[in-house]
Amino acid sequence: MASTLVTVAALAAIVIHLVTASPLMDTLLQVPDLSTYAEVYNLTGGIVEINPLFLKRYNYDEDKRNYTFLAPTNDAWAKIPDAIFDILMTQQAYPLTEALLRTHIIEAGLTASELVKVSESEGAGGISTSLQVSNTTEQYHNGVLTKTVQGYYIDSITSSNDTVQIDDQSAIVTANIVADNGLIHAIDQVIDPFLIYGGGPSNRTMAPTSETTDLTIGELLKSDSRLVNSSKILFENSPDTLRRLSQQTGSTQFFVAPRNEAYDLMPTILPIFHTLVAPYKSPFNTLMWQYGWLDSDGDTFAGLNFSSPITVASDITGLNITVTQEENAIFIMNAGLVTQVRTSNGYLWIVDRWLDPLYQAFGPIDRFGTPEWP
Ligand SMILES: *[C@@H]1O[C@H](CO)[C@@H](O)[C@H](O)[C@H]1NC(C)=O
Ligand SMILES: *[C@@H]1O[C@H](CO)[C@@H](O)[C@H](O)[C@H]1NC(C)=O
Ligand SMILES: *[C@@H]1O[C@H](CO)[C@@H](O)[C@H](O)[C@H]1NC(C)=O
Ligand SMILES: *[C@@H]1O[C@H](CO)[C@@H](O)[C@H](O)[C@H]1NC(C)=O
Ligand SMILES: *[C@@H]1O[C@H](CO)[C@@H](O)[C@H](O)[C@H]1NC(C)=O
Ligand SMILES: *[C@@H]1O[C@H](CO)[C@@H](O)[C@H](O)[C@H]1NC(C)=O
Ligand SMILES: *[C@@H]1O[C@H](CO)[C@@H](O)[C@H](O)[C@H]1NC(C)=O
Ligand SMILES: *[C@@H]1O[C@H](CO)[C@@H](O)[C@H](O)[C@H]1NC(C)=O
């Protein structure tokens, strides 16, 4: 493996000899090509005191743990449309951005070559066995899975030219930048964890069905046997959303809920269902739910004709919801529409995937031809 390390280092394009070892955050600030990443930390409270948690954890010497930062380069951040980037930098979107940033941090100092092989000895370099998973699980898994501090695993493989590729979305362009408390690898695209978390994009080909009910959206959610899992998660995370969806508001609401089977597509290695109902993840989960909610203008979607795509800004997050049609099938972002239910206070869309609010926002999702979904 030593030769792999040398090769990966040799491929590194950015000259980093100006960096003097210091904690991770301070080291980031010294690499010009990572200045946007440092700025993102600043704007989201990482370095300034709005949320000192990131700074305390990743920049203080009293925390004896080592970390690996997967740091998107300035070019990687520049791939994100400005309107989406600006939303990610708002206080409102913080739970989403925080989850995103935490998906780019690993609690152990791992070199690029250690990312693509499972640590052999238990506890080596502070690595617990659960940090990395061997290449034996079939589901959504091409290489070596490494756990991030968000709880999701990222999947790393070595390409034929020895570049380390992550989740088929991103590649390491500069490996092994040394900090006092860990390592930084510059990557060329921000990793979208929410897509894999939801089982990849829908492969639906059938047209959706339509139904009508006298119930409200909220009442339907609570009683429909197709939506048991969604209603359970929603009830735990955001009873207020459920309450509002049960009211006649005088306007046509619109809400998206994954059917039961959507949860079975989530990688089994991740205790996703468990974390979705965990109170400590609630601000993030609630934001994910509210992304698929429009308080009014639900009629926009009534006709089920999307021969031209329709884009509407989601009320709470401001992120766009885009609906497209491919032959008969209708997609809302990554999810396929199974059934439209016209209710007494709006439209409920039953879909086959957990919605990814950042679908394709960072760049192509299957860049290297080895996507993790079937
Ligand atoms: C981030 O904030 C720190 C502390 O205020 C400051 O020293 C640094 O220049 C800022 N960096 C960027 C990239 O905004
Ligand atoms: C939403 O879509 C509109 C129209 O395509 C676009 O002008 C706007 O920048 C988009 N906003 C976001 C946050 O993506
Ligand atoms: C952190 O990394 C340093 C340098 O590789 C090592 O000496 C130290 O033991 C590591 N600390 C932990 C807690 O693993
Ligand atoms: C993972 O398994 C696949 C298929 O069995 C194999 O081609 C690949 O080389 C393995 N990767 C690693 C890192 O062991
Ligand atoms: C290595 O291959 C990947 C495609 O797998 C490509 O994107 C990248 O530019 C190549 N890197 C080098 C240094 O040739
Ligand atoms: C989702 O719902 C189905 C049917 O009620 C159930 O069998 C399955 O275990 C649920 N999935 C999760 C992750 O709870
Ligand atoms: C869908 O809408 C387009 C115009 O946006 C129209 O040309 C087409 O006939 C409609 N298709 C159906 C099946 O109604
Ligand atoms: C979509 O993928 C699932 C899971 O691999 C598979 O069972 C199903 O047959 C596929 N559907 C289509 C229409 O290809």
Side-chain angles (χ1 to χ4, degrees):
M1 291 319 288
S3 65
T4 308
L5 176 56
V6 170
T7 315
V8 170
L11 285 174
I14 306 168
V15 179
I16 51 159
H17 61 264
L18 291 177
V19 175
T20 51
S22 49
L24 279 157
M25 291 291 189
D26 295 344
T27 305
L28 268 187
L29 291 172
Q30 295 174 50
V31 184
D33 203 34
L34 301 178
S35 61
T36 307
Y37 189 59
E39 201 179 309
V40 167
Y41 271 106
N42 272 12
L43 289 171
T44 55
I47 294 176
V48 292
E49 287 298 307
I50 304 166
N51 177 2
L53 200 64
F54 273 103
L55 179 58
K56 282 224 166 76
R57 276 194 75 179
Y58 307 123
N59 216 32
Y60 275 26
D61 288 337
E62 63 250 40
D63 180 346
K64 297 291 175 220
R65 286 171 290 191
N66 291 324
Y67 296 96
T68 303
F69 275 21
L70 300 168
T73 60
N74 293 353
D75 286 348
W77 290 103
K79 289 186 197 175
I80 305 175
D82 290 347
I84 296 178
F85 183 84
D86 290 348
I87 287 177
L88 290 176
M89 294 309 111
T90 61
Q91 196 85 23
Q92 193 136 316
Y94 185 69
L96 187 58
T97 309
E98 183 190 24
L100 197 61
L101 293 175
R102 287 167 61 87
T103 308
H104 288 71
I105 300 171
I106 297 156
E107 192 183 312
L110 297 181
T111 63
S113 24
E114 284 168 341
L115 270 179
V116 291
K117 69 166 192 199
V118 177
S119 166
E120 273 155 30
S121 60
E122 188 177 341
I127 302 169
S128 74
T129 46
S130 61
L131 185 76
Q132 288 188 304
V133 176
S134 72
N135 191 20
T136 51
T137 325
E138 305 89 48
Q139 199 189 19
Y140 310 121
H141 188 186
N142 292 318
V144 169
L145 293 173
T146 304
K147 196 178 195 172
T148 65
V149 298
Q150 178 63 11
Y152 307 147
Y153 287 74
I154 52 156
D155 190 352
S156 309
I157 58 170
T158 314
S159 76
S160 51
N161 65 13
D162 273 345
T163 307
V164 173
Q165 297 172 347
I166 300 166
D167 279 356
D168 207 35
Q169 297 179 28
S170 193
I172 293 182
V173 289
T174 304
N176 310 333
I177 302 170
V178 179
D180 280 352
N181 58 337
L183 290 164
I184 299 168
H185 308 304
I187 57 173
D188 67 356
Q189 185 165 308
V190 178
I191 302 162
D192 174 5
F194 310 120
L195 184 65
I196 295 162
Y197 175 85
S202 168
N203 61 353
R204 203 171 164 80
T205 54
M206 278 155 59
T209 57
S210 294
E211 298 170 12
T212 303
T213 175
D214 293 336
L215 302 175
T216 60
I217 296 175
E219 287 163 349
L220 183 72
L221 272 164
K222 283 185 270 188
S223 61
D224 196 293
S225 61
R226 292 167 292 187
L227 301 171
V228 172
N229 299 336
S230 282
S231 101
K232 182 173 177 197
I233 299 171
L234 194 55
F235 185 77
E236 296 287 341
N237 278 288
S238 190
D240 189 52
T241 305
L242 210 46
R243 188 160 53 244
R244 289 181 63 186
L245 286 166
S246 304
Q247 289 167 355
Q248 297 292 347
T249 56
S251 55
T252 309
Q253 299 195 53
F254 174 78
F255 193 72
V256 181
R259 63 177 176 186
N260 291 340
E261 293 86 339
Y263 297 88
D264 297 333
L265 296 171
M266 293 175 167
T268 45
I269 184 173
L270 303 177
I272 288 176
F273 197 78
H274 174 77
T275 58
L276 285 177
V277 295
Y280 73 98
K281 297 273 195 214
S282 192
F284 165 67
N285 289 330
T286 301
L287 213 56
M288 292 290 270
W289 277 109
Q290 291 179 334
Y291 167 69
W293 180 26
L294 294 175
D295 215 5
S296 58
D297 297 331
D299 285 323
T300 311
F301 303 99
L304 290 183
N305 177 357
F306 301 95
S307 51
S308 312
I310 289 185
T311 293
V312 178
S314 162
D315 282 336
I316 300 202
T317 63
L319 291 166
N320 280 338
I321 296 173
T322 298
V323 183
T324 53
Q325 186 164 351
E326 277 171 40
E327 302 199 8
N328 294 322
I330 291 174
F331 300 93
I332 178 160
M333 306 299 281
N334 58 306
L337 175 59
V338 178
T339 301
Q340 165 168 278
V341 188
R342 186 196 185 109
T343 70
S344 67
N345 65 346
Y347 291 90
L348 174 72
W349 275 19
I350 300 176
V351 297
D352 65 0
R353 294 290 190 285
W354 179 259
L355 270 195
D356 176 8
L358 297 170
Y359 185 50
Q360 295 176 320
F362 305 140
I365 49 162
D366 51 354
R367 280 176 73 196
F368 309 113
T370 51
E372 298 190 54
W373 46 85

